[in-house]
Amino acid sequence: MTIQVKSSKNEYPIHIGKALLKHLDELIPSHYTSVFIVADQTVASLYLNQVISGINRKNVHTTVIASGETSKSIHTFYNLHTEAIKAGLDRKSLIIALGGGMVGDLAGFVASTFMRGIDFVQLPTTILAHDSSVGGKVAINHEAGKNLIGNFHSPAMVIYDVATLQSLPEKEIRSGFAELMKEAMIANNGFYDQLLSTKLHKLDYSFLTDFLTEGMRIKAKIVEQDEKENGARKFLNFGHTLGHALEAELGYGKMTHGEAVANGMLFAATVSERLYGCDLRFKELLGWMRQNDYPILHENMDCDSLLLRMKTDKKNISGHVQMVLLKKNWLSCDEGTGGSYTLGVFERIFGGDESEMTRGIRGATTVNKNNYTEIIFHTKELLREMTIKNNVSPEDISHMFISATNDITAAFPAKAAREFPGWGHVPVMCMREMEVPGSLEKCIRIMMVVNTEKPQTEMNHIFHRDAKELRPDLIAEKER
Ligand SMILES: O=C(O)C(=O)C[C@@H](O)[C@H](O)[C@H](O)COP(=O)(O)O
Ligand SMILES: [Zn+2]
């Protein structure tokens, strides 16, 4: 199976199939003056000899680097240049990246800078690398952030021998499937259903090639449309803003790239659902991750420092976090306008579900006359103070009941809530208050039920105007 990808510089094939390493000589053009293979220790011990004999050429040089994300550094990058110079590579030489995403990104970046750029071929050997080997993003990490030093440099070819995927550790399978899941969520087709029903412990390898082909097709289509990430390609960063922050925060290599991205996707999916009211099937995604043993972050995470990391992501503009959210088109969430909202969601997800509960906030006010303007004005005044004093945003409100005494008929007080921006999705219900002889007249009472981690004693109940007489105990308590 071959997929062709058009880039601004070239058109390159992605060959996917079994035992392709044996046919490298037929697949890789013979005009290169020399070949420089970069592999990490783990992959080299498994496949380097096979690749050397598959290429079957004279000027073949090899270099083996330490396994793990820490090799994606300026130090290894420089050493590889030194090795390439010593091996006598020229501008007509070829670099081969044999391995996972780390080797592909690193060797690709060396190829993009060696003598101002030479060809390179990707030989991915992990599931994750189905994603990173396509599209020409090459980079190394800076300690301040992932892939901060990099380039766009399309490969001359991708040769994906799926036989190399048979013995991957579970962590690596999870890592790769997170990126497949990302592509499936972006494509929004039946692929998402298929993946959600896939059990990684019992992975059926006969389906794997089809999954990878589908993932690479989705990716190829996007990068052809937008090679330099000015538009549609941003979709491919779904889950990566928090994902990259997690990788850096925990220390590169502690959590695989895909595992971190999976947590990032959970976060981005829930923010997308809450902001846009779309259904990305967050709960099913979370269930699938739990079932397949993805590490899911919770109370140990320091939300503030993660947010700081997110603020140094290279996609940010003027210090504002740009995070990909899914709706129908990619959208960005600007930290400047959505920061506290976003951080609230973030803490809720990773702060552990158990600590959160719903609590009620009471409020009441009165009107002088049964008149539309007065009802709306005083209800708004009350709602405003209830939300400010309790630091509540509309998305924190589970639901709200508003009662009015029998003498209020000129307007539904709930209308006041609808006039606040962002309150469109807050469920509100108006009702009649019990008629008890001698009770307060022209009174509007509110019960706002909010999701919160605060203890009951910290809820601030608000009583305005004549309604202050309803709960003098609470008012006195706050004044003490
Ligand atoms: O190819 C892309 O575009 C992607 O964003 C794919 C990502 O899965 C991949 O991890 C990529 O290397 C991240 O790029 P970055 O620009 O966010 O560093
Ligand atoms: Zn990625």
Side-chain angles (χ1 to χ4, degrees):
M1 154 75 60
T2 302
I3 302 170
Q4 285 295 127
V5 189
K6 284 196 193 81
S7 81
S8 54
K9 195 188 77 182
N10 61 351
E11 178 168 339
Y12 59 93
I14 304 170
H15 301 291
I16 314 171
K18 273 196 187 137
L20 296 181
L21 293 187
K22 291 195 185 123
H23 303 284
L24 293 176
D25 197 29
E26 295 148 45
L27 295 169
I28 298 175
S30 55
H31 57 73
Y32 293 108
T33 51
S34 58
V35 176
F36 185 74
I37 307 169
V38 183
D40 70 28
Q41 278 157 348
T42 318
V43 173
S45 64
L46 293 167
Y47 304 113
L48 189 53
N49 287 339
Q50 213 176 314
V51 170
I52 295 170
S53 53
I55 292 179
N56 191 25
R57 304 209 180 146
K58 275 192 196 137
N59 272 337
V60 176
H61 310 273
T62 61
T63 186
V64 177
I65 57 171
S67 304
E69 188 73 14
T70 42
S71 284
K72 237 176 97 173
S73 66
I74 192 84
H75 180 69
T76 320
F77 167 80
Y78 186 82
N79 286 347
L80 286 177
H81 272 272
T82 310
E83 299 259 333
I85 295 162
K86 279 193 197 155
L89 262 66
D90 60 27
R91 299 182 86 175
K92 299 289 171 204
S93 298
L94 175 74
I95 290 182
I96 291 184
L98 169 65
M102 181 279 281
V103 168
D105 281 10
L106 170 68
F109 187 45
V110 173
S112 84
T113 44
F114 185 77
M115 298 190 176
R116 298 211 177 88
I118 62 171
D119 278 2
F120 84 114
V121 167
Q122 293 263 22
L123 300 189
T125 60
T126 60
I127 300 176
L128 181 88
H130 84 272
D131 169 71
S132 53
S133 61
V134 179
K137 272 192 183 177
V138 293
I140 54 174
N141 300 330
H142 187 279
E143 62 186 27
K146 175 107 175 170
N147 299 342
L148 286 182
I149 307 165
N151 209 345
F152 287 98
H153 188 63
S154 296
M157 181 177 292
V158 180
I159 303 171
Y160 203 2
D161 186 339
V162 292
T164 59
L165 307 175
Q166 296 287 340
S167 52
L168 288 176
E170 280 191 7
K171 234 175 155 27
E172 277 304 324
I173 296 177
R174 279 197 293 273
S175 186
F177 265 79
E179 297 279 17
L180 281 171
M181 197 54 106
K182 172 195 79 179
E183 287 141 4
M185 289 179 83
I186 294 169
N188 189 21
N189 55 18
F191 190 29
Y192 190 29
D193 285 312
Q194 240 179 325
L195 292 183
L196 282 172
S197 58
T198 301
K199 295 191 175 58
L200 302 187
H201 311 289
K202 295 185 193 154
L203 191 57
D204 182 342
Y205 278 80
S206 57
F207 287 125
L208 185 59
T209 310
D210 291 344
F211 289 165
L212 294 169
T213 309
E214 180 61 12
M216 285 167 124
R217 265 210 199 99
I218 296 168
K219 170 126 196 198
K221 206 168 147 201
I222 295 176
V223 299
E224 274 189 343
Q225 224 177 305
D226 172 27
E227 188 182 345
K228 298 275 169 73
E229 200 167 300
N230 294 312
R233 189 166 184 166
K234 293 181 190 189
F235 275 123
L236 293 170
N237 234 251
F238 184 61
H240 282 66
T241 310
L242 177 60
H244 283 169
L246 280 172
E247 284 183 87
E249 179 69 12
L250 296 171
Y252 291 113
K254 293 273 163 37
M255 187 181 260
T256 63
H257 173 67
E259 287 170 336
V261 167
N263 278 280
M265 290 197 294
L266 272 185
F267 176 49
T270 192
V271 176
S272 306
E273 288 192 346
R274 286 162 197 226
L275 263 188
Y276 303 121
C278 53
D279 182 12
L280 297 178
R281 299 160 69 187
F282 168 82
K283 285 217 167 114
E284 284 173 73
L285 178 64
L286 177 63
W288 178 83
M289 281 173 57
R290 287 205 168 117
Q291 200 180 51
N292 291 298
D293 295 333
Y294 280 81
I296 295 173
L297 296 171
H298 46 91
E299 60 272 4
N300 299 338
M301 292 313 300
D302 178 346
C303 296
D304 289 342
S305 58
L306 275 177
L307 195 75
L308 267 180
R309 296 258 180 205
M310 286 164 81
K311 284 182 179 170
T312 58
D313 190 275
K314 66 185 158 314
K315 307 285 157 61
N316 296 346
I317 297 169
S318 311
H320 288 177
V321 174
Q322 297 289 307
M323 198 176 86
V324 179
L325 301 176
L326 290 181
K327 198 180 168 187
K328 280 201 177 115
N329 316 90
W330 77 270
L331 287 160
S332 65
C333 168
D334 181 338
E335 207 266 330
T337 56
S340 57
Y341 174 92
T342 305
L343 188 59
V345 176
F346 180 64
E347 282 170 334
R348 200 161 302 137
I349 296 174
F350 296 116
D353 293 343
E354 302 76 14
S355 52
E356 186 178 285
M357 55 186 66
T358 53
R359 293 207 183 276
I361 304 172
R362 270 302 318 273
T365 189
T366 50
V367 290
N368 294 329
K369 289 194 192 118
N370 175 24
N371 147 321
Y372 179 92
T373 317
E374 269 213 42
I375 296 170
I376 302 301
F377 177 85
H378 290 299
T379 311
K380 268 185 162 177
E381 180 182 56
L382 177 63
L383 281 173
R384 199 173 290 117
E385 191 172 342
M386 287 171 76
T387 52
I388 291 173
K389 289 275 166 61
N390 290 284
N391 198 15
V392 165
S393 67
E395 102 90 27
D396 298 321
I397 305 174
S398 157
H399 56 277
M400 202 161 68
F401 295 111
I402 307 185
S403 81
T405 42
N406 279 346
D407 43 12
I408 293 183
T409 55
F412 287 107
K415 201 163 181 304
R418 300 273 168 261
E419 291 186 9
F420 288 129
W423 282 58
H425 290 105
V426 177
V428 187
M429 196 157 130
C430 287
M431 55 187 60
R432 278 263 160 264
E433 182 59 45
M434 279 176 67
E435 202 172 3
V436 176
S439 61
L440 187 63
E441 290 178 358
K442 295 193 202 66
C443 182
I444 296 165
R445 293 171 168 86
I446 297 182
M447 171 65 85
M448 184 187 279
V449 184
V450 298
N451 299 312
T452 183
E453 289 168 10
K454 287 187 193 157
Q456 206 170 39
T457 46
E458 277 185 32
M459 307 318 292
N460 291 310
H461 308 288
I462 311 292
F463 295 88
H464 280 173
R465 300 162 56 81
D466 291 347
K468 283 185 181 157
E469 73 182 46
L470 293 175
R471 293 299 303 267
D473 55 325
L474 290 179
I475 293 166
E477 191 179 294
K478 283 290 159 201
E479 281 166 4
R480 269 201 296 275

